[in-house]
Short mmCIF file of all heavy atoms in Angstrom, two decimals:
data_model
loop_
_atom_site.label_atom_id
_atom_site.label_comp_id
_atom_site.label_asym_id
_atom_site.label_seq_id
_atom_site.Cartn_x
_atom_site.Cartn_y
_atom_site.Cartn_z
N THR A 213 0.82 -1.21 -0.02
CA THR A 213 -0.01 0.00 0.00
C THR A 213 0.88 1.25 -0.03
O THR A 213 0.46 2.25 -0.48
CB THR A 213 -0.94 0.04 1.19
OG1 THR A 213 -0.24 -0.10 2.43
CG2 THR A 213 -2.00 -1.11 1.09
N ARG A 214 2.08 1.13 0.57
CA ARG A 214 2.97 2.33 0.62
C ARG A 214 3.38 2.70 -0.82
O ARG A 214 3.39 3.88 -1.16
CB ARG A 214 4.22 1.93 1.45
CG ARG A 214 5.14 3.07 1.57
CD ARG A 214 6.32 2.68 2.56
NE ARG A 214 7.50 2.80 1.85
CZ ARG A 214 8.68 2.32 2.37
NH1 ARG A 214 8.68 1.71 3.48
NH2 ARG A 214 9.77 2.45 1.70
N LEU A 215 3.62 1.75 -1.68
CA LEU A 215 3.96 2.07 -3.12
C LEU A 215 2.69 2.64 -3.81
O LEU A 215 2.91 3.58 -4.65
CB LEU A 215 4.38 0.88 -3.86
CG LEU A 215 5.75 0.32 -3.47
CD1 LEU A 215 6.01 -1.02 -4.15
CD2 LEU A 215 6.82 1.30 -4.01
N GLU A 216 1.54 2.14 -3.51
CA GLU A 216 0.31 2.72 -4.14
C GLU A 216 0.14 4.21 -3.78
O GLU A 216 -0.11 5.04 -4.69
CB GLU A 216 -0.92 1.88 -3.78
CG GLU A 216 -2.19 2.44 -4.40
CD GLU A 216 -3.37 1.68 -3.98
OE1 GLU A 216 -3.41 1.17 -2.91
OE2 GLU A 216 -4.36 1.68 -4.77
N VAL A 217 0.28 4.53 -2.55
CA VAL A 217 0.19 5.93 -2.07
C VAL A 217 1.23 6.75 -2.63
O VAL A 217 0.93 7.85 -3.18
CB VAL A 217 0.26 5.94 -0.52
CG1 VAL A 217 0.35 7.42 -0.09
CG2 VAL A 217 -0.93 5.26 0.10
N ALA A 218 2.49 6.32 -2.75
CA ALA A 218 3.56 7.12 -3.32
C ALA A 218 3.34 7.31 -4.87
O ALA A 218 3.50 8.46 -5.33
CB ALA A 218 4.94 6.40 -3.16
N ALA A 219 2.84 6.32 -5.55
CA ALA A 219 2.56 6.41 -6.93
C ALA A 219 1.36 7.36 -7.20
O ALA A 219 1.43 8.27 -8.06
CB ALA A 219 2.20 5.07 -7.57
N GLU A 220 0.43 7.34 -6.31
CA GLU A 220 -0.72 8.24 -6.56
C GLU A 220 -0.31 9.69 -6.25
O GLU A 220 -0.82 10.59 -6.88
CB GLU A 220 -1.89 7.80 -5.59
CG GLU A 220 -3.18 8.51 -5.83
CD GLU A 220 -3.78 8.41 -7.16
OE1 GLU A 220 -3.57 7.34 -7.81
OE2 GLU A 220 -4.46 9.33 -7.66
N ASN A 221 0.51 9.94 -5.28
CA ASN A 221 1.02 11.25 -4.98
C ASN A 221 1.88 11.83 -6.13
O ASN A 221 1.77 12.96 -6.38
CB ASN A 221 1.84 11.24 -3.65
CG ASN A 221 0.98 11.03 -2.41
OD1 ASN A 221 -0.24 11.27 -2.43
ND2 ASN A 221 1.59 10.52 -1.33
N LYS A 222 2.67 10.99 -6.67
CA LYS A 222 3.60 11.47 -7.76
C LYS A 222 2.91 11.48 -9.14
O LYS A 222 3.24 12.29 -10.02
CB LYS A 222 4.78 10.64 -7.75
CG LYS A 222 5.65 10.88 -6.54
CD LYS A 222 6.89 10.01 -6.54
CE LYS A 222 7.65 10.25 -5.22
NZ LYS A 222 8.73 9.33 -5.05
N ASN A 223 2.01 10.59 -9.27
CA ASN A 223 1.37 10.38 -10.67
C ASN A 223 -0.15 10.07 -10.42
O ASN A 223 -0.52 8.86 -10.63
CB ASN A 223 1.98 9.22 -11.48
CG ASN A 223 3.46 9.48 -11.64
OD1 ASN A 223 3.91 10.23 -12.47
ND2 ASN A 223 4.33 8.72 -10.91
N PRO A 224 -0.97 11.06 -10.11
CA PRO A 224 -2.37 10.72 -9.88
C PRO A 224 -2.97 9.97 -11.05
O PRO A 224 -2.85 10.26 -12.15
CB PRO A 224 -3.01 12.10 -9.76
CG PRO A 224 -1.90 12.98 -9.30
CD PRO A 224 -0.65 12.47 -10.04
N GLY A 225 -3.67 8.85 -10.63
CA GLY A 225 -4.40 7.98 -11.65
C GLY A 225 -3.51 6.99 -12.21
O GLY A 225 -4.03 6.17 -13.05
N LEU A 226 -2.27 6.86 -11.81
CA LEU A 226 -1.35 5.81 -12.41
C LEU A 226 -1.82 4.53 -12.13
O LEU A 226 -1.79 3.55 -12.91
CB LEU A 226 0.07 6.08 -11.98
CG LEU A 226 1.11 5.07 -12.39
CD1 LEU A 226 1.30 5.13 -13.87
CD2 LEU A 226 2.38 5.18 -11.66
N MET A 227 -2.29 4.26 -10.83
CA MET A 227 -2.62 2.86 -10.45
C MET A 227 -4.11 2.76 -10.07
O MET A 227 -4.80 3.71 -9.62
CB MET A 227 -1.77 2.55 -9.15
CG MET A 227 -0.38 2.42 -9.44
SD MET A 227 0.57 2.00 -7.95
CE MET A 227 0.00 0.29 -7.59
N ARG A 228 -4.62 1.60 -10.33
CA ARG A 228 -5.92 1.26 -9.83
C ARG A 228 -5.78 0.74 -8.36
O ARG A 228 -4.65 0.51 -7.96
CB ARG A 228 -6.53 0.04 -10.59
CG ARG A 228 -6.85 0.42 -12.04
CD ARG A 228 -7.40 -0.82 -12.73
NE ARG A 228 -7.62 -0.50 -14.16
CZ ARG A 228 -8.04 -1.37 -15.03
NH1 ARG A 228 -8.26 -2.65 -14.61
NH2 ARG A 228 -8.22 -1.05 -16.30
N GLY A 229 -6.79 0.59 -7.68
CA GLY A 229 -6.72 0.13 -6.28
C GLY A 229 -6.13 -1.20 -6.20
O GLY A 229 -6.22 -2.04 -7.15
N LEU A 230 -5.46 -1.54 -5.10
CA LEU A 230 -4.85 -2.83 -4.89
C LEU A 230 -5.97 -3.88 -4.76
O LEU A 230 -7.02 -3.66 -4.23
CB LEU A 230 -4.07 -2.87 -3.67
CG LEU A 230 -2.82 -1.99 -3.66
CD1 LEU A 230 -2.11 -2.08 -2.31
CD2 LEU A 230 -1.82 -2.40 -4.73
N ASN A 231 -5.68 -5.13 -5.31
CA ASN A 231 -6.53 -6.24 -5.26
C ASN A 231 -5.83 -7.29 -4.46
O ASN A 231 -5.10 -8.16 -4.95
CB ASN A 231 -6.92 -6.72 -6.62
CG ASN A 231 -7.86 -7.86 -6.65
OD1 ASN A 231 -8.31 -8.37 -5.60
ND2 ASN A 231 -8.29 -8.27 -7.80
N ILE A 232 -5.99 -7.26 -3.11
CA ILE A 232 -5.34 -8.23 -2.21
C ILE A 232 -6.31 -9.37 -2.06
O ILE A 232 -7.39 -9.17 -1.60
CB ILE A 232 -5.01 -7.50 -0.88
CG1 ILE A 232 -4.03 -6.38 -1.14
CG2 ILE A 232 -4.37 -8.53 0.03
CD1 ILE A 232 -3.68 -5.50 -0.01
N ARG A 233 -5.83 -10.49 -2.39
CA ARG A 233 -6.67 -11.78 -2.26
C ARG A 233 -5.73 -12.96 -2.01
O ARG A 233 -4.49 -12.81 -2.06
CB ARG A 233 -7.45 -11.94 -3.54
CG ARG A 233 -6.61 -11.98 -4.81
CD ARG A 233 -7.48 -11.99 -6.03
NE ARG A 233 -6.63 -12.00 -7.22
CZ ARG A 233 -6.95 -11.90 -8.42
NH1 ARG A 233 -8.24 -11.87 -8.69
NH2 ARG A 233 -6.15 -11.87 -9.42
N ALA A 234 -6.33 -14.05 -1.85
CA ALA A 234 -5.60 -15.26 -1.51
C ALA A 234 -5.11 -15.99 -2.73
O ALA A 234 -4.33 -17.00 -2.54
CB ALA A 234 -6.48 -16.23 -0.66
N ALA A 235 -5.34 -15.55 -3.89
CA ALA A 235 -4.87 -16.19 -5.11
C ALA A 235 -3.37 -16.21 -5.17
O ALA A 235 -2.73 -15.39 -4.59
CB ALA A 235 -5.44 -15.44 -6.39
N SER A 236 -2.82 -17.22 -5.85
CA SER A 236 -1.38 -17.38 -5.94
C SER A 236 -0.95 -17.32 -7.40
O SER A 236 -1.56 -17.96 -8.33
CB SER A 236 -1.06 -18.72 -5.38
OG SER A 236 0.33 -19.05 -5.58
N PHE A 237 0.08 -16.66 -7.64
CA PHE A 237 0.69 -16.44 -9.00
C PHE A 237 2.14 -16.79 -8.98
O PHE A 237 2.92 -16.20 -9.71
CB PHE A 237 0.44 -15.01 -9.53
CG PHE A 237 -1.01 -14.65 -9.66
CD1 PHE A 237 -1.67 -14.01 -8.65
CD2 PHE A 237 -1.72 -15.03 -10.83
CE1 PHE A 237 -3.03 -13.69 -8.77
CE2 PHE A 237 -3.04 -14.74 -10.99
CZ PHE A 237 -3.75 -14.06 -9.93
N ASN A 238 2.55 -17.74 -8.11
CA ASN A 238 3.92 -18.23 -7.95
C ASN A 238 4.87 -17.25 -7.24
O ASN A 238 6.06 -17.62 -7.09
CB ASN A 238 4.58 -18.58 -9.33
CG ASN A 238 3.85 -19.78 -9.92
OD1 ASN A 238 3.30 -20.55 -9.36
ND2 ASN A 238 3.76 -19.82 -11.30
N GLU A 239 4.40 -16.08 -6.84
CA GLU A 239 5.30 -15.20 -6.12
C GLU A 239 5.59 -15.73 -4.71
O GLU A 239 6.57 -15.22 -4.06
CB GLU A 239 4.79 -13.79 -6.02
CG GLU A 239 3.52 -13.61 -5.26
CD GLU A 239 2.22 -13.87 -5.94
OE1 GLU A 239 2.20 -14.40 -7.08
OE2 GLU A 239 1.17 -13.68 -5.33
N GLN A 240 4.90 -16.77 -4.29
CA GLN A 240 5.19 -17.34 -2.94
C GLN A 240 6.45 -18.10 -2.92
O GLN A 240 6.94 -18.50 -1.90
CB GLN A 240 4.01 -18.23 -2.49
CG GLN A 240 3.89 -19.54 -3.17
CD GLN A 240 3.14 -19.53 -4.49
OE1 GLN A 240 2.94 -18.46 -5.06
NE2 GLN A 240 2.80 -20.74 -5.02
N TYR A 241 7.06 -18.35 -4.06
CA TYR A 241 8.31 -19.17 -4.13
C TYR A 241 9.59 -18.40 -3.83
O TYR A 241 10.63 -18.96 -3.69
CB TYR A 241 8.42 -19.89 -5.48
CG TYR A 241 7.30 -20.88 -5.68
CD1 TYR A 241 6.31 -20.75 -6.65
CD2 TYR A 241 7.27 -22.05 -4.83
CE1 TYR A 241 5.34 -21.70 -6.74
CE2 TYR A 241 6.24 -22.97 -4.97
CZ TYR A 241 5.33 -22.82 -5.97
OH TYR A 241 4.29 -23.72 -6.12
N THR A 242 9.45 -17.10 -3.77
CA THR A 242 10.55 -16.26 -3.32
C THR A 242 10.12 -15.20 -2.36
O THR A 242 9.00 -14.66 -2.52
CB THR A 242 11.21 -15.52 -4.59
OG1 THR A 242 10.28 -14.69 -5.16
CG2 THR A 242 11.86 -16.57 -5.55
N SER A 243 10.98 -14.86 -1.40
CA SER A 243 10.54 -13.87 -0.49
C SER A 243 10.67 -12.50 -1.04
O SER A 243 11.55 -12.26 -1.95
CB SER A 243 11.40 -13.95 0.78
OG SER A 243 12.79 -13.73 0.49
N GLY A 244 9.71 -11.64 -0.74
CA GLY A 244 9.77 -10.23 -1.16
C GLY A 244 9.30 -10.05 -2.60
O GLY A 244 9.51 -9.04 -3.23
N SER A 245 8.63 -11.02 -3.15
CA SER A 245 8.11 -10.92 -4.58
C SER A 245 6.88 -10.03 -4.62
O SER A 245 6.12 -9.88 -3.65
CB SER A 245 7.73 -12.29 -5.06
OG SER A 245 8.80 -13.11 -5.23
N MET A 246 6.66 -9.47 -5.76
CA MET A 246 5.55 -8.52 -6.01
C MET A 246 5.09 -8.80 -7.44
O MET A 246 5.92 -8.88 -8.37
CB MET A 246 5.92 -7.12 -5.84
CG MET A 246 4.85 -6.12 -6.25
SD MET A 246 5.29 -4.42 -6.00
CE MET A 246 6.70 -4.15 -6.99
N LEU A 247 3.79 -8.94 -7.62
CA LEU A 247 3.29 -9.13 -8.99
C LEU A 247 2.72 -7.73 -9.47
O LEU A 247 1.90 -7.07 -8.73
CB LEU A 247 2.07 -10.15 -9.03
CG LEU A 247 1.39 -10.21 -10.32
CD1 LEU A 247 2.31 -10.80 -11.38
CD2 LEU A 247 0.16 -11.13 -10.18
N LEU A 248 3.26 -7.20 -10.58
CA LEU A 248 2.78 -5.96 -11.07
C LEU A 248 2.34 -6.16 -12.46
O LEU A 248 3.03 -6.72 -13.37
CB LEU A 248 3.94 -4.96 -11.08
CG LEU A 248 3.65 -3.64 -11.71
CD1 LEU A 248 2.75 -2.81 -10.83
CD2 LEU A 248 5.02 -2.78 -11.88
N GLU A 249 1.08 -5.83 -12.78
CA GLU A 249 0.52 -5.92 -14.04
C GLU A 249 0.46 -4.55 -14.73
O GLU A 249 -0.05 -3.58 -14.05
CB GLU A 249 -0.92 -6.55 -14.05
CG GLU A 249 -0.92 -7.98 -13.61
CD GLU A 249 -2.23 -8.66 -13.47
OE1 GLU A 249 -3.30 -7.96 -13.82
OE2 GLU A 249 -2.28 -9.79 -13.17
N VAL A 250 0.90 -4.35 -15.86
CA VAL A 250 1.04 -3.00 -16.49
C VAL A 250 0.18 -3.03 -17.69
O VAL A 250 0.29 -3.84 -18.53
CB VAL A 250 2.45 -2.72 -16.82
CG1 VAL A 250 2.57 -1.30 -17.49
CG2 VAL A 250 3.37 -2.77 -15.59
N GLY A 251 -0.69 -1.96 -17.79
CA GLY A 251 -1.53 -1.79 -18.94
C GLY A 251 -2.66 -2.80 -18.92
O GLY A 251 -2.87 -3.60 -18.03
N SER A 252 -3.53 -2.58 -19.99
CA SER A 252 -4.70 -3.48 -20.11
C SER A 252 -5.00 -3.55 -21.64
O SER A 252 -4.29 -2.96 -22.43
CB SER A 252 -5.93 -2.83 -19.43
OG SER A 252 -6.40 -1.75 -20.13
N CYS A 253 -6.05 -4.23 -21.95
CA CYS A 253 -6.36 -4.40 -23.42
C CYS A 253 -6.82 -3.02 -23.98
O CYS A 253 -6.80 -2.86 -25.20
CB CYS A 253 -7.50 -5.42 -23.57
SG CYS A 253 -9.04 -4.97 -22.71
N ALA A 254 -7.11 -2.03 -23.10
CA ALA A 254 -7.43 -0.74 -23.62
C ALA A 254 -6.24 0.20 -23.82
O ALA A 254 -6.41 1.31 -24.28
CB ALA A 254 -8.41 -0.09 -22.57
N ASN A 255 -4.96 -0.26 -23.44
CA ASN A 255 -3.76 0.60 -23.56
C ASN A 255 -2.97 0.18 -24.77
O ASN A 255 -2.98 -0.98 -25.17
CB ASN A 255 -2.95 0.46 -22.31
CG ASN A 255 -3.61 0.98 -21.12
OD1 ASN A 255 -3.90 0.20 -20.20
ND2 ASN A 255 -3.78 2.33 -21.05
N THR A 256 -2.27 1.18 -25.30
CA THR A 256 -1.31 0.88 -26.29
C THR A 256 -0.02 0.42 -25.65
O THR A 256 0.12 0.61 -24.39
CB THR A 256 -0.96 2.08 -27.17
OG1 THR A 256 -0.28 3.11 -26.40
CG2 THR A 256 -2.26 2.68 -27.80
N PHE A 257 0.87 -0.14 -26.42
CA PHE A 257 2.17 -0.55 -25.82
C PHE A 257 2.91 0.67 -25.25
O PHE A 257 3.51 0.65 -24.20
CB PHE A 257 3.06 -1.31 -26.90
CG PHE A 257 4.42 -1.60 -26.26
CD1 PHE A 257 4.61 -2.77 -25.57
CD2 PHE A 257 5.48 -0.78 -26.57
CE1 PHE A 257 5.83 -3.06 -25.03
CE2 PHE A 257 6.71 -1.12 -26.03
CZ PHE A 257 6.87 -2.25 -25.25
N ASP A 258 2.86 1.76 -26.02
CA ASP A 258 3.59 2.96 -25.52
C ASP A 258 3.03 3.49 -24.19
O ASP A 258 3.75 3.89 -23.29
CB ASP A 258 3.51 4.10 -26.61
CG ASP A 258 4.41 3.82 -27.79
OD1 ASP A 258 5.38 3.05 -27.59
OD2 ASP A 258 4.17 4.33 -28.82
N GLU A 259 1.69 3.46 -24.05
CA GLU A 259 1.08 3.85 -22.81
C GLU A 259 1.49 2.96 -21.71
O GLU A 259 1.84 3.46 -20.56
CB GLU A 259 -0.47 3.80 -22.95
CG GLU A 259 -0.99 4.91 -23.84
CD GLU A 259 -2.45 4.70 -24.17
OE1 GLU A 259 -2.96 3.58 -24.12
OE2 GLU A 259 -3.15 5.79 -24.42
N ALA A 260 1.53 1.66 -21.93
CA ALA A 260 1.97 0.74 -20.83
C ALA A 260 3.43 0.88 -20.48
O ALA A 260 3.79 0.86 -19.29
CB ALA A 260 1.66 -0.77 -21.34
N ALA A 261 4.19 1.15 -21.51
CA ALA A 261 5.64 1.42 -21.28
C ALA A 261 5.89 2.66 -20.42
O ALA A 261 6.69 2.67 -19.49
CB ALA A 261 6.41 1.48 -22.63
N ARG A 262 5.10 3.74 -20.70
CA ARG A 262 5.26 4.91 -19.92
C ARG A 262 4.78 4.69 -18.53
O ARG A 262 5.36 5.27 -17.57
CB ARG A 262 4.48 6.05 -20.59
CG ARG A 262 5.15 6.64 -21.79
CD ARG A 262 4.58 7.99 -22.22
NE ARG A 262 3.15 7.98 -22.47
CZ ARG A 262 2.55 7.64 -23.62
NH1 ARG A 262 3.27 7.36 -24.64
NH2 ARG A 262 1.22 7.64 -23.81
N SER A 263 3.74 3.87 -18.33
CA SER A 263 3.24 3.60 -17.02
C SER A 263 4.33 2.83 -16.17
O SER A 263 4.48 3.07 -15.04
CB SER A 263 1.96 2.81 -17.07
OG SER A 263 0.89 3.64 -17.61
N ALA A 264 4.93 1.88 -16.89
CA ALA A 264 5.92 1.04 -16.27
C ALA A 264 7.10 1.90 -15.80
O ALA A 264 7.68 1.71 -14.68
CB ALA A 264 6.38 -0.07 -17.19
N GLU A 265 7.47 2.82 -16.69
CA GLU A 265 8.61 3.73 -16.37
C GLU A 265 8.26 4.64 -15.13
O GLU A 265 9.13 4.85 -14.24
CB GLU A 265 9.02 4.60 -17.57
CG GLU A 265 10.16 5.44 -17.25
CD GLU A 265 10.66 6.24 -18.47
OE1 GLU A 265 10.16 5.88 -19.67
OE2 GLU A 265 11.40 7.23 -18.37
N ALA A 266 7.06 5.16 -15.16
CA ALA A 266 6.61 5.97 -13.97
C ALA A 266 6.61 5.19 -12.68
O ALA A 266 7.03 5.68 -11.63
CB ALA A 266 5.23 6.61 -14.28
N PHE A 267 6.11 3.96 -12.75
CA PHE A 267 6.13 3.15 -11.48
C PHE A 267 7.49 2.77 -11.17
O PHE A 267 7.83 2.78 -9.94
CB PHE A 267 5.27 1.86 -11.77
CG PHE A 267 5.27 1.01 -10.50
CD1 PHE A 267 4.36 1.37 -9.45
CD2 PHE A 267 6.11 -0.07 -10.31
CE1 PHE A 267 4.39 0.58 -8.29
CE2 PHE A 267 6.13 -0.88 -9.19
CZ PHE A 267 5.23 -0.50 -8.12
N ALA A 268 8.33 2.50 -12.08
CA ALA A 268 9.78 2.14 -11.78
C ALA A 268 10.43 3.33 -10.99
O ALA A 268 11.19 3.04 -9.99
CB ALA A 268 10.57 1.81 -13.01
N LYS A 269 10.19 4.57 -11.38
CA LYS A 269 10.75 5.68 -10.68
C LYS A 269 10.26 5.77 -9.25
O LYS A 269 10.96 6.15 -8.29
CB LYS A 269 10.42 7.01 -11.43
CG LYS A 269 11.19 7.14 -12.73
CD LYS A 269 10.88 8.35 -13.52
CE LYS A 269 11.63 8.35 -14.83
NZ LYS A 269 11.31 9.57 -15.64
N VAL A 270 8.86 5.55 -9.07
CA VAL A 270 8.32 5.49 -7.74
C VAL A 270 8.94 4.37 -6.84
O VAL A 270 9.36 4.66 -5.73
CB VAL A 270 6.78 5.35 -7.79
CG1 VAL A 270 6.25 5.04 -6.40
CG2 VAL A 270 6.08 6.52 -8.41
N LEU A 271 9.10 3.20 -7.49
CA LEU A 271 9.69 2.09 -6.78
C LEU A 271 11.19 2.44 -6.33
O LEU A 271 11.50 2.22 -5.20
CB LEU A 271 9.68 0.82 -7.61
CG LEU A 271 10.19 -0.44 -7.00
CD1 LEU A 271 9.55 -0.83 -5.70
CD2 LEU A 271 10.15 -1.57 -7.99
N ALA A 272 11.91 2.95 -7.28
CA ALA A 272 13.27 3.33 -6.99
C ALA A 272 13.37 4.37 -5.88
O ALA A 272 14.21 4.26 -4.97
CB ALA A 272 14.02 3.81 -8.20
N ASP A 273 12.49 5.31 -5.93
CA ASP A 273 12.45 6.35 -4.85
C ASP A 273 12.15 5.81 -3.48
O ASP A 273 12.80 6.13 -2.49
CB ASP A 273 11.46 7.48 -5.18
CG ASP A 273 11.90 8.37 -6.33
OD1 ASP A 273 13.08 8.33 -6.68
OD2 ASP A 273 11.02 9.18 -6.80
N GLU A 274 11.27 4.78 -3.49
CA GLU A 274 10.86 4.15 -2.23
C GLU A 274 12.02 3.21 -1.70
O GLU A 274 12.24 3.21 -0.49
CB GLU A 274 9.62 3.30 -2.39
CG GLU A 274 8.38 4.25 -2.54
CD GLU A 274 8.08 5.12 -1.34
OE1 GLU A 274 8.12 4.60 -0.14
OE2 GLU A 274 7.93 6.31 -1.55
N ILE A 275 12.77 2.60 -2.61
CA ILE A 275 13.87 1.77 -2.17
C ILE A 275 15.00 2.58 -1.69
O ILE A 275 15.64 2.27 -0.64
CB ILE A 275 14.27 0.84 -3.27
CG1 ILE A 275 13.10 -0.24 -3.55
CG2 ILE A 275 15.55 0.12 -3.01
CD1 ILE A 275 13.37 -1.07 -4.76
N ILE A 276 15.37 3.57 -2.47
CA ILE A 276 16.59 4.43 -2.13
C ILE A 276 16.27 5.29 -0.96
O ILE A 276 17.15 5.52 -0.18
CB ILE A 276 17.04 5.22 -3.38
CG1 ILE A 276 17.49 4.26 -4.48
CG2 ILE A 276 18.08 6.18 -3.04
CD1 ILE A 276 17.74 4.87 -5.84
N GLY A 277 15.07 5.79 -0.91
CA GLY A 277 14.66 6.60 0.27
C GLY A 277 14.64 8.06 -0.02
O GLY A 277 15.08 8.91 -0.53
#
């Protein structure tokens, strides 16, 4: 949720709300894993790429501090 708040503060509308559920997508096999889905069928590749870059900057800022 910390990343979602940071992303929303830096890029309003970048992320949809988190969907926390019991489903498994293999991230349980390594500690600290995160599943990030970028774009949708309504986005172009360029839009998804820009979103991934914006999120990467937020993630880097949160890791570096």
